């Protein structure tokens, strides 16, 4: 089943997607402006991104 642009935008507006995007943007902003990131923030970011992509790939496999 092919997703339309409307479906893809709707998927981006889910809570887990918004949290993942905000954390990634925060990480990028901190890196650009301060140059140093704490290890705890990096660990949290990696866990959230890993969970997000893990759930996304799990959902795709279930649909097929």
């Amino acid at each position: 089943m092919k997703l339309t642009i409307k479906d893809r935008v709707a998927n981006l507006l889910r809570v887990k997607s918004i949290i993942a995007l905000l954390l990634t943007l925060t990480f990028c902003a901190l890196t650009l402006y301060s140059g140093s990131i704490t290890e705890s923030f990096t660990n949290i970011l990696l866990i959230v991104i890993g969970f997000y992509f893990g759930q996304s790939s799990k959902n795709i496999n279930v649909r097929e």
Side-chain angles (χ1 to χ4, degrees):
M1 183 169 118
K2 192 169 188 172
L3 294 175
T4 63
I5 293 175
K6 183 180 177 181
D7 294 332
R8 290 180 189 218
V9 170
N11 287 338
L12 281 176
L13 296 179
R14 293 185 181 166
V15 173
K16 68 179 184 179
S17 300
I18 292 171
I19 291 171
L21 287 172
L22 286 175
L23 280 172
T24 304
L25 290 173
T26 302
F27 180 80
C28 292
L30 286 172
T31 302
L32 289 174
Y33 294 117
S34 69
S36 65
I37 305 294
T38 62
E39 186 176 344
S40 60
F41 183 78
T42 305
N43 290 337
I44 291 169
L45 178 67
L46 290 175
I47 290 169
V48 169
I49 296 298
F51 176 78
Y52 173 74
F53 283 111
Q55 290 295 317
S56 296
S57 65
K58 178 181 170 186
N59 291 339
I60 289 171
N61 290 335
V62 169
R63 289 181 193 163
E64 293 176 353

